[in-house]
Amino acid sequence: MSKVFELIAKEEKRQNETVELIASENFVSENVRKAVGSVLTNKYTEGYPGNRYYGGCENYDELENYCREMWQKVFDTDYHVNVQPHAGSQANYAAYMSVLKPGDTILAMDLNNGGHLTHGSSVNFSGKMYISHFYGVDDNGFIDYDGVPARLREVKPQVVMVGASAYSRIIDFAKFREMIDAYNAEFGTDCKMIVDMSHIAGLVAAGEHPSPFGIADIITTTTHKTLRGPRGGMIFCKPELARKVDSAIFPGSQGGSLMHVIAGKAIAAEEALTPEYKEYIKNVVINTRVMCDKFIEMGYDIITGGTDNHLFLVDLSKTFPNVTGKQVQDKLDEHGITLNKNCVPKEARSPKETSGVRIGAAAMTTKGWKPEDFCKAAERIDKIIREELA
Ligand code: DSN
């Protein structure tokens, strides 16, 4: 047997035998895997439906159009959609490129406060190509909406990026729109609002989080987190930005599209339209809250004191000042529980150590876990931290 298949078998075993609490991961259906492993990987399809650079694309044209229509249905929107981004980073790259020139300014959520590398971090293209400034969270861990208008006036951005990879509360998209509109009116600018809904896209699809459609100019997402599709990205935009967004993906930043993955994205859209998916997302939100409440009951400090979505953040800095997020992550790995270390607001440690961990319920809810299973897992984690680390 090829070494590759041996490793795949080992990984399958790992996924079957461990508890997966990484907030950005999930388990896709057999059908998504079938599509992604299909013969569609054999073909070059540079371009867009009806306008390809290679012959033999008729099935791909139909598939890509179908995928686009299905995702418009999922989000009940007439926004234009591009399903070709290879990943979330590529989606954000093209989203910026469609409305910014190098050297323009973006305002985004600070990485240490729950933002993302592609939201202007100095070690990422977004912080190298653009001048980036940040907003953050208040002393209770909630987005500091009141501080945003002053930041807008101060840094005069061409784009405000709204979204997070480690934030457990509802994001008020309408409030951001209002503040950006007021800034544009005051300065005669045309600052665009981009929402990166990668983490919460499944909740938006199921009506468990307010939708950014009709509010943001551009919306980016990954397809593999709460949307439970294959690893990949998508961009939605107001119809007037369609040409700019499409050309920022191809030929701007990508070549041939991954049609086998686009097929998987189409399957995920079909699945997201079912009543079972809506029920699943409801359960994700319930399970996350129950597990979070269990940690609070056991004396843990949770950023914002709770959760509204599929994740929550445990701040160890006061309760276990000598225990780092990395130690918890590594120790839990030994016990077959997978989660990730995470910076906390006002983090004193490096991102490689951290003072917190991020916990999500999307993956284990897919595996059929009920609230009581999440409570038992919280108790196990607590026991391991107290007995083996504190
Ligand atoms: N790496 C992802 C996460 O874990 O949130 C974001 O891209």
Side-chain angles (χ1 to χ4, degrees):
M1 200 207 279
S2 154
K3 181 164 179 66
V4 172
F5 291 111
E6 272 172 31
L7 288 170
I8 292 174
K10 270 169 90 176
E11 173 57 14
E12 195 167 349
K13 186 168 181 306
R14 188 196 71 82
Q15 289 188 17
N16 287 337
E17 291 176 358
T18 54
V19 173
E20 183 51 72
L21 297 173
I22 293 180
S24 49
E25 294 187 7
N26 216 323
F27 299 103
V28 301
S29 67
E30 281 294 318
N31 283 343
V32 167
R33 282 169 52 188
K34 253 191 223 161
V36 174
S38 71
V39 295
L40 301 185
T41 194
N42 295 335
K43 185 86 188 89
Y44 252 123
T45 57
E46 278 178 13
Y48 289 102
N51 189 16
R52 305 280 190 188
Y53 287 77
Y54 294 82
C57 288
E58 58 278 7
N59 297 322
Y60 298 88
D61 283 4
E62 203 175 327
L63 173 65
E64 187 166 343
N65 280 333
Y66 175 69
C67 184
R68 283 159 36 164
E69 281 158 25
M70 292 302 282
W71 281 110
Q72 283 175 320
K73 262 194 207 155
V74 169
F75 292 109
D76 190 20
T77 182
D78 59 0
Y79 273 38
H80 171 74
V81 55
N82 187 311
V83 294
Q84 292 191 6
H86 299 333
S89 291
Q90 280 64 41
N92 284 344
Y93 188 96
Y96 292 136
M97 192 176 167
S98 66
V99 291
L100 294 174
K101 307 182 294 308
D104 278 350
T105 300
I106 63 178
L107 178 66
M109 179 117 153
D110 187 10
L111 183 60
N112 277 357
N113 286 199
H116 188 254
L117 278 172
T118 57
H119 298 183
S121 163
S122 62
V123 294
N124 181 261
F125 78 86
S126 54
K128 294 184 195 289
M129 279 174 66
Y130 307 110
I131 297 167
S132 45
H133 293 278
F134 303 99
Y135 56 86
V137 296
D138 63 21
D139 289 341
N140 298 316
F142 288 81
I143 290 177
D144 177 21
Y145 295 98
D146 292 345
V148 172
R151 294 297 284 146
L152 285 166
R153 287 200 191 92
E154 209 179 315
V155 309
K156 302 206 171 44
Q158 280 81 35
V159 154
V160 175
M161 171 55 103
V162 180
S165 60
Y167 186 67
S168 63
R169 294 299 187 168
I170 297 288
I171 299 179
D172 192 339
F173 299 125
K175 197 175 261 186
F176 270 102
R177 180 81 260 175
E178 227 172 78
M179 297 188 289
I180 295 165
D181 286 348
Y183 158 70
N184 279 337
E186 186 178 344
F187 291 92
T189 46
D190 184 24
C191 175
K192 298 284 195 258
M193 175 175 171
I194 303 181
V195 167
D196 178 347
M197 63 170 185
S198 293
H199 263 268
I200 53 167
L203 280 70
V204 171
E208 293 289 322
H209 188 289
S211 173
F213 287 91
I215 297 177
D217 298 292
I218 301 177
I219 299 164
T220 60
T221 186
T222 50
T223 42
H224 49 269
K225 297 184 175 86
T226 48
L227 283 180
R228 211 162 56 177
R231 199 155 282 283
M234 295 193 288
I235 309 179
F236 297 85
C237 64
K238 290 189 168 165
E240 61 270 25
L241 292 170
R243 238 172 47 82
K244 286 187 170 166
V245 164
D246 282 353
S247 59
I249 284 289
F250 178 84
S253 57
Q254 292 190 172
S257 43
L258 309 178
M259 290 306 303
H260 54 306
V261 180
I262 288 176
K265 289 173 185 171
I267 300 269
E270 289 177 347
E271 292 174 356
L273 284 163
T274 60
E276 291 76 23
Y277 180 79
K278 287 195 172 53
E279 195 56 32
Y280 158 69
I281 290 291
K282 261 200 183 91
N283 288 332
V284 168
V285 174
I286 292 169
N287 289 338
T288 311
R289 197 172 50 235
V290 165
M291 191 179 196
C292 179
D293 287 348
K294 185 76 203 174
F295 272 101
I296 293 171
E297 190 192 302
M298 294 186 301
Y300 283 77
D301 193 6
I302 303 297
I303 293 168
T304 76
T307 176
D308 299 325
N309 60 22
H310 63 299
L311 67 82
F312 59 94
L313 295 146
V314 181
D315 183 350
L316 301 159
S317 62
K318 293 188 206 94
T319 37
F320 299 98
N322 298 324
V323 179
T324 69
K326 181 175 169 17
Q327 286 170 334
V328 174
Q329 177 185 307
D330 291 348
K331 184 55 71 184
L332 291 179
D333 256 343
E334 291 170 21
H335 288 267
I337 300 173
T338 316
L339 48 63
N340 66 283
K341 58 183 181 287
N342 214 94
C343 289
V344 299
K346 304 200 175 100
E347 179 61 75
R349 293 189 170 100
S350 85
K352 291 206 167 117
E353 293 296 325
T354 81
S355 306
V357 291
R358 186 183 67 165
I359 297 180
M364 293 314 289
T365 302
T366 295
K367 287 224 169 148
W369 269 29
K370 302 276 177 294
E372 52 277 21
D373 301 308
F374 283 95
C375 282
K376 274 190 212 140
E379 282 166 357
R380 256 185 88 195
I381 293 170
D382 171 58
K383 192 164 183 279
I384 293 166
I385 293 176
R386 285 181 201 279
E387 291 181 0
E388 300 183 37
L389 290 171

